[in-house]
Amino acid sequence: MPFKPADNPKCPKCGKSVYAAEERVAGGFKWHKMCFKCGMCQKMLDSTNAAEHESELYCKNCHGRKYGPKGYGFGGGAGCLSMDSGDHLKSDAN
Ligand SMILES: [Zn+2]
Ligand SMILES: [Zn+2]
């Protein structure tokens, strides 16, 4: 078989394997450094301003514009904390 399933996680953006040297973690997914950008304004992101939504990445501005702060606020609500169980932190540490 020329194709063997890689152990590496797949980038949700381009579907290719992500290696540790180029990985960025958001929303429980691993992304390429190059793919780690906003799907709306194409701004390059880092872990502090990235917002993941259904395996799409947005900057916090675009994410707020597109989905609104309904479920949770960027500063106020603690609603995201119940969903964010720290999985990304764990995978980051690995
Ligand atoms: Zn990618
Ligand atoms: Zn954006």
Side-chain angles (χ1 to χ4, degrees):
M1 289 291 184
F3 178 82
K4 84 173 171 65
D7 294 321
N8 298 79
K10 297 281 192 294
C11 170
K13 183 87 175 176
C14 68
K16 293 179 186 162
S17 297
V18 180
Y19 299 94
E22 56 188 2
E23 79 179 26
R24 287 287 181 277
V25 180
F29 297 97
K30 293 193 175 179
W31 316 72
H32 294 110
K33 219 186 293 180
M34 314 139 37
C35 296
F36 203 72
K37 60 186 177 187
C38 176
M40 286 177 74
C41 71
Q42 309 300 314
K43 185 169 84 166
M44 297 306 293
L45 301 174
D46 59 43
S47 51
T48 64
N49 63 0
E52 182 271 342
H53 188 99
E54 294 181 348
S55 77
E56 287 283 339
L57 269 185
Y58 302 96
C59 69
K60 290 197 170 170
N61 281 342
C62 291
H63 185 270
R65 216 171 293 159
K66 194 169 165 72
Y67 299 106
K70 286 174 198 134
Y72 53 89
F74 292 136
C80 60
L81 293 179
S82 55
M83 284 174 62
D84 186 354
S85 54
D87 280 342
H88 64 293
L89 296 175
K90 267 179 251 159
S91 50
D92 209 12
N94 285 338

